[in-house]
Amino acid sequence: MSLRIRTSACTALAVAALAAGTVLTAPAAGAAPKAAAPTFLSASQLPPHPTSSWTAGPVTEGFPEGLGLCVSTEGVPSYDYRHREFWTDLDTTAVQLTVVTGTAAQAKALAKHYDDLVRTCADRIEETTPDVEAESRDYGKLPVEEGARVRGLHTETTWGATDIALLSVGRDGRTVTVVKWGQMGDFHNAPVTAFKKTTTTAVNKLY
């Protein structure tokens, strides 16, 4: 999305961890078992653009700035973060993040934490940025691996800029993935059905 707003991660991290029956603490050095790196989406697996094809960037180490609007690493251990960015010739972009934790319990807590951040993102934007109105929508859960959830976020500034994003959080074992699609527009421009298919593919492809 064109709107770049830094927001702090909500304090629900501890609650999410307790609700998941674990604590989001970093595993001891060498404690996490080694596994194959998660596989990422390809450009052809993103929601089709009506007039432009998608281009996929390389898989890159670290946390993507493109998720900074709603999701961040604040308060989260230094897990194995990797991401891939996508773009069209016009105004549409996307990004996929994968996070490999130490255990399935840690991944469950992290997935809940990230979903909570996405769920509360609109409220946090309005609290910290008075000239932006934000609205979120819940598009429900997806029955894939250990589960995924899709949400939408619309933002509009006082000077007329309007952006729409779809975000999903899913999990397979001890790995969490977050996918974001965004462009200028509103909820009418959001390809929800296609994005649900993309999310399902993203979680299935992890391993």
Side-chain angles (χ1 to χ4, degrees):
M1 293 172 65
S2 59
L3 182 61
R4 302 288 185 180
I5 302 175
R6 299 279 183 179
T7 58
S8 297
C10 65
T11 56
L13 173 57
V15 176
L18 291 174
T22 187
V23 178
L24 288 177
T25 53
K34 293 294 182 179
T39 303
F40 282 76
L41 290 165
S42 63
S44 64
Q45 293 166 329
L46 292 170
H49 192 282
T51 61
S52 178
S53 60
W54 285 96
T55 298
V59 174
T60 305
E61 300 291 333
F63 195 92
E65 291 187 2
L67 288 179
L69 180 65
C70 289
V71 180
S72 75
T73 60
E74 185 174 342
V76 178
S78 298
Y79 291 128
D80 182 9
Y81 299 102
R82 300 169 77 228
H83 69 275
R84 189 176 205 179
E85 297 181 341
F86 306 84
W87 60 90
T88 67
D89 293 334
L90 300 175
D91 65 338
T92 309
T93 60
V95 62
Q96 181 184 6
L97 167 73
T98 65
V99 188
V100 180
T101 68
T103 66
Q106 289 175 334
K108 182 178 180 180
L110 182 63
K112 184 181 186 307
H113 171 57
Y114 280 162
D115 182 60
D116 285 343
L117 289 181
V118 175
R119 176 180 55 82
T120 60
C121 188
D123 290 339
R124 288 183 284 117
I125 289 173
E126 290 190 341
E127 288 173 0
T128 58
T129 315
D131 57 355
V132 177
E133 291 186 359
E135 179 187 355
S136 63
R137 292 186 182 179
D138 182 0
Y139 292 113
K141 296 180 179 179
L142 300 177
V144 54
E145 297 298 343
E146 276 71 58
R149 190 171 205 119
V150 174
R151 300 183 187 273
L153 174 70
H154 175 243
T155 57
E156 184 173 1
T157 67
T158 55
W159 59 90
T162 179
D163 293 277
I164 182 66
L166 295 174
L167 299 102
S168 61
V169 180
R171 181 173 72 90
D172 183 1
R174 64 188 185 95
T175 299
V176 176
T177 189
V178 181
V179 183
K180 176 189 172 185
W181 169 98
Q183 69 175 32
M184 292 187 293
D186 56 26
F187 286 113
H188 297 293
N189 307 113
V192 176
T193 300
F195 186 75
K196 286 183 175 181
K197 182 178 179 180
T198 293
T199 296
T200 299
T201 301
V203 178
N204 276 327
K205 281 190 72 174
L206 288 173
Y207 298 104

